[in-house]
Amino acid sequence: MDRVVTTVDAQLQDAEAVGTTLQQALAAVGHVDKEAEHIARDTFTLSELVEDAYGYLGRFEGRSIFHRALALGRELAERSRRIFEQVIDEGRCTLDDVLALEYTEIKGRKAIASLARLFDVSRVPESGFDPPKYSTRYDHLVDEALQQVMDEILEREPRLTFALIIDLNSYAPIHNRRFCQDWTGDPKKDLVGNRIKRFFFDKGVLVRGARVGLPRAAVTLPNMARREDFLRVCDLRERPEERDVFLVQTYARDTGQVLSALTVPLYVKGHRYGAVLLGWDPERVD
């Protein structure tokens, strides 16, 4: 019994020592957390200052990649609007179809085969894509025409990495041809090479960009909000004062690449669809 008591006593002392070490470690972690909060807060403040600086720069003409992207973004918004409005005017879909914010995941042999007009789908499993791809009521009517216009914009400015459109939930019905490569089944290759018909949540940066110009209540809605959710908190009709609105953010893509992204509001028949999205590498602007 004496030996048991001695052993237990020693274990209690060890436990107390471990407890002290844990308390010290927790204190250190708490300190790191506070420092991280300070850094995050300072970074957010810096980000806001940079966004404000771009706002001032946008009032003047310039030859920088930012000024070039802003001009091309506004052009792409106008040309994309015309594509949507043409199919609506022709009776091939309705304005509600375009604005609905409703998505169907693309899986199953028939649904997957519908994308064969865009890229080779022979290696796509019947269970679908990873990350998932989605379709809407209007995709098949406009995606090829949109891609052609988006690629024309991209070709006119070699410093751009991409030029596309996204809806209010950052869903991209189509992407540039360079990001519409045949499906290989290799996750690393497909993540980079095939980026069409998917959402770009990317830490909320592109969701915020897609909702540029809308009030905070709309910006903070869930990533996959319904149109009814937006209409409850804001007016989505086009207003003259929003014609010059834009947003520039720098973020890390899901591929790891750091890019600057510019978004400009996109309207169809006077109602907010989403935004035009143009990106470039801030380290490679020569």
Side-chain angles (χ1 to χ4, degrees), residues 215-233:
R216 178 173 175 76
V219 175
T220 56
L221 286 172
N223 288 344
M224 293 181 67
R226 301 172 303 170
R227 193 159 191 89
E228 293 78 9
D229 298 328
F230 284 98
L231 292 174
R232 275 197 295 269
V233 298

Side-chain angles (χ1 to χ4, degrees), residues 142-157:
V142 298
D143 50 16
E144 292 178 90
L146 286 171
Q147 187 180 69
Q148 181 177 345
V149 171
M150 286 156 36
D151 282 351
E152 288 176 8
I153 293 291
L154 201 59
E155 289 170 5
R156 285 164 54 189
E157 180 46 73

Side-chain angles (χ1 to χ4, degrees), residues 265-280:
L266 171 58
Y267 294 89
V268 177
K269 294 286 186 180
H271 296 267
R272 182 67 176 268
Y273 167 84
V276 163
L277 171 64
L278 287 82
W280 65 91

